[in-house]
Amino acid sequence: MLIGLFDSGVGGLTVLAACRRALPGARYLYLDDCANCPYGGRTGEEITALACDCADVLIRAGCDAVVIACNTATAAAASVIRARYPDKTVLGIEPAVKPALAAVKGRVLLLATPATAALRRYGSRVIVGAEPRLAEEIERAYGDPEALRALASATLAKYSGYSAVVTGCSHYAHLIPYIPCPVFDGADGVARLLASKFAGRPSAEAEAQ
Ligand code: DGL
């Protein structure tokens, strides 16, 4: 069983890690569309076209399932990709706003790309932080803990009055170790869903024999 994931960059690696924990027997193929990063400031049509190209590459490579490891591409293109590949499992990642609101009293800070932030009204308990450059800055800081720590504190310093953070872009999950309050990320949710769909299928080792 081969699971394909894609994102505009290193963000989806956090989703890949969660999927590997939840479904360790599968093989994984990760497509990093860094040539077109960032997705978050593009129009819905542009994001959909890029996301479909990524899904096409993964399906042509033989993937049994596609995980859209990007909140921005999920919102723009999940339904289009599902319609394009009706016989494949296509999963996407969404901001974990509901679990955050259920778990904490008070307000939560949703950090997201402008495309994801503009998607819907989140209600009065959600402070929406649209971050036009943060994904790109995380691309540059990836692998440098001090730079990631500095990005996390500079970002959080812009907002107040929240008791938890929702990482609404998979790139932002790389900041989680440096966020000093509860954080709700969507990666484990999509990984659990993947595991529930494929648990019991032959493992990569069994397929190789
Ligand atoms: N990692 C992506 C997301 O989850 C997109 C970042 C970007 O390219 O703007 O939204």
Side-chain angles (χ1 to χ4, degrees):
M1 180 188 16
L2 181 62
I3 312 291
L5 299 90
F6 74 88
D7 181 36
S8 62
V10 298
L13 292 174
T14 59
V15 183
L16 173 63
C19 290
R20 293 179 82 164
R21 282 194 300 273
L23 194 62
R27 290 182 301 135
Y28 292 91
L29 185 60
Y30 185 79
L31 173 56
D32 173 343
D33 188 17
C34 53
N36 294 300
C37 186
Y39 283 0
R42 295 176 183 271
T43 64
E45 289 74 23
E46 286 177 316
I47 299 165
T48 301
L50 292 170
C52 286
D53 286 350
C54 290
D56 290 350
V57 169
L58 293 171
I59 296 291
R60 277 201 301 272
C63 290
D64 303 294
V66 172
V67 176
I68 309 171
C70 169
N71 294 258
T72 307
T74 298
S79 56
V80 179
I81 296 172
R82 285 189 188 114
R84 205 173 171 93
Y85 295 108
D87 54 340
K88 300 284 180 187
T89 296
V90 177
L91 303 177
I93 182 170
E94 288 179 9
V97 172
K98 266 196 195 161
L101 290 175
V104 302
K105 290 198 168 77
R107 303 177 82 193
V108 304
L109 170 62
L110 166 64
L111 294 173
T113 64
T116 302
L119 260 186
R120 67 173 75 114
R121 293 179 165 275
Y122 289 96
S124 59
R125 286 183 59 209
V126 181
I127 302 165
V128 179
E131 289 290 333
R133 279 182 299 277
L134 188 54
E136 262 178 298
E137 288 167 343
I138 290 170
E139 283 285 313
R140 281 194 292 274
Y142 183 65
D144 179 346
E146 281 321 305
L148 289 170
R149 183 189 302 281
L151 271 179
S153 40
T155 303
L156 295 177
K158 294 193 275 182
Y159 306 95
S160 60
Y162 57 88
S163 43
V165 170
V166 176
T167 42
C169 165
S170 54
H171 277 74
Y172 305 171
H174 291 296
L175 302 182
I176 292 174
Y178 314 106
I179 297 178
C181 68
V183 181
F184 294 82
D185 183 63
D188 285 330
V190 67
R192 272 197 304 273
L193 197 56
L194 181 73
S196 73
K197 290 199 177 285
F198 289 100
R201 298 281 184 96
S203 68
E205 290 74 26
E207 279 180 10
Q209 283 166 10

